[in-house]
Amino acid sequence: MEHDQDEVLEVGKASGRGRRRAGWILVLVVLTLIVLHASTDRSHRQAVPGPSPSDLISTIPDGRTAHAWPTAPGACGADTLLPIVSSAPPAERTGIQVLLGGDRLRLVDFDSGRATTLPDAVVRPGEYAAVLAGDPVTAYATTESCDESAPYAMLRISVDHRVSVIRPLGPTESPLTDGNRVWIASFASGIDNPYATIAPVAGGQPVQLPHGFYASAIVGDTIVGQMQPDPGISPTWLSLVDARTGRLQAKLEQHVAPLAVGAGQVLWTSGCDDDASSCTLRRRSTAGGETLGSPLPRPACCGVVSPDGTRVAFLIERATTDSQFDGHPLPPVDIAIMRLDTGRLEIVPGIELPAKSQPGLAFTGRGDWLVIALNAGSRTRLLAWHPGLRQPYETTPLPGPVHDPPTLVITNR
């Protein structure tokens, strides 16, 4: 099995003290170089190849040099910032099987690295499938296209791995999923259509949602989103709405967005933009009750809850920028797992992600493994980790670009 070795060259500083000691020698060297430069053929100089984009070196204000973050060509003609990974082949049986999105839909056996492409003709060239839901009955996905004006489609993947188009998705529609169930949220589109609605894909009448409510996730029969009845007036509220009736259930906090939703819980961060010392991960049951909090050292986002509700995995900023990439303005991010009963936070070792990147994350059924899909430009890197491992396991990379973020669900099929 071949694995990337993303190496970053270290460029040393020139010694100012040495230059002072040998000043008169440098004068002679400079004069010699001028003579050599004048006598060197120009065509020979032009034959020297320039550095590749991932090897470019920039100068930063204090005189040091730094490499640009490594990149590779990705989907839709854009460059992808590559993850920096230290991993190992699986040294034990994990039993992990994944349904993976991208330029094709694939079932992947993590332990063997074997990938089975689903026999479909609905994900066409220039389109990318985003997996939404998995077991036990039917999986769902949507398609996206490099042509932003092209319509999206809602796909159904049956137990015998056949893929079919359920329906097109309009420009104001978005799918929401909670495990195996999927809804279509239709957003308000203007004065003539001021209310959002939601309806199950399996059938049923659309339910009108409160004015100014924008759905972002669903857990059970509770929709999680942000509500701003008057777009010109603050505040916005993180709110819960009943998907069966459209009634507002609760307003949780102002000026915040959900970090993760699942297993009957909604989680969000509070105070992270104002003062790192007050950064807190908050959670509450969608059924009601007390709001609990656990301290975070830095801002976090983009999480998933384990099926048993005991853990949450998310992205968290590093404390500083990477010294290997001093010219990169934003700090990279780590993948973290928190035990919700104790607040214990662990960083997944061996994975460093560029700022603003977003991997695919999914827990196995009992939450003992976290599976990670990383966009590596022309392929997807698939890793798995649980607390106690010194570095994540990595299976054979899957060829083909993905439309960020990579999407995956754990499956037993």
Side-chain angles (χ1 to χ4, degrees), residues 1-3 87-90 108-114 380-384 393-398:
M1 177 167 52
E2 179 182 350
H3 292 277
S87 61
V108 182
D109 181 87
F110 188 89
D111 296 324
S112 68
R114 185 176 61 253
T380 300
R381 300 178 68 174
L382 201 59
L383 302 97
Y393 293 148
E394 181 171 5
T395 191
T396 306
L398 285 304

Side-chain angles (χ1 to χ4, degrees), residues 80-126:
T80 297
L81 295 174
L82 297 176
I84 299 174
V85 178
S86 174
S87 61
E92 59 185 289
R93 176 170 172 75
T94 68
I96 295 170
Q97 296 187 58
V98 169
L99 178 62
L100 185 70
D103 67 340
R104 69 207 81 170
L105 287 164
R106 287 166 291 192
L107 287 169
V108 182
D109 181 87
F110 188 89
D111 296 324
S112 68
R114 185 176 61 253
T116 303
T117 301
L118 301 190
D120 72 274
V122 296
V123 185
R124 297 168 295 190

Side-chain angles (χ1 to χ4, degrees), residues 68-72 79-83 328 353-357 375-377 404:
W69 198 284
T71 64
D79 283 342
T80 297
L81 295 174
L82 297 176
H328 205 264
L353 303 176
K356 297 186 177 181
S357 66
N375 183 356
D404 272 339

Side-chain angles (χ1 to χ4, degrees), residues 307-355:
D308 62 1
T310 62
R311 298 173 177 87
V312 60
F314 50 86
L315 303 184
I316 187 167
E317 287 185 5
R318 289 195 169 188
T320 61
T321 58
D322 190 326
S323 61
Q324 300 178 98
F325 308 105
D326 286 329
H328 205 264
L330 298 175
V333 294
D334 289 315
I335 300 173
I337 295 179
M338 176 181 283
R339 285 196 59 94
L340 294 175
D341 56 348
T342 64
R344 177 180 173 83
L345 186 70
E346 294 189 72
I347 301 297
V348 178
I351 301 177
E352 181 179 357
L353 303 176

Side-chain angles (χ1 to χ4, degrees), residues 1 17 22 33 52 89 93 100 119 124 165 182 248 258 264 292 298 305 311 348 355 400-401:
M1 177 167 52
R17 183 171 57 184
L33 289 175
S52 65
R93 176 170 172 75
L100 185 70
R124 297 168 295 190
V165 176
V182 178
L248 179 67
L292 304 174
R298 290 173 297 280
V305 182
R311 298 173 177 87
V348 178

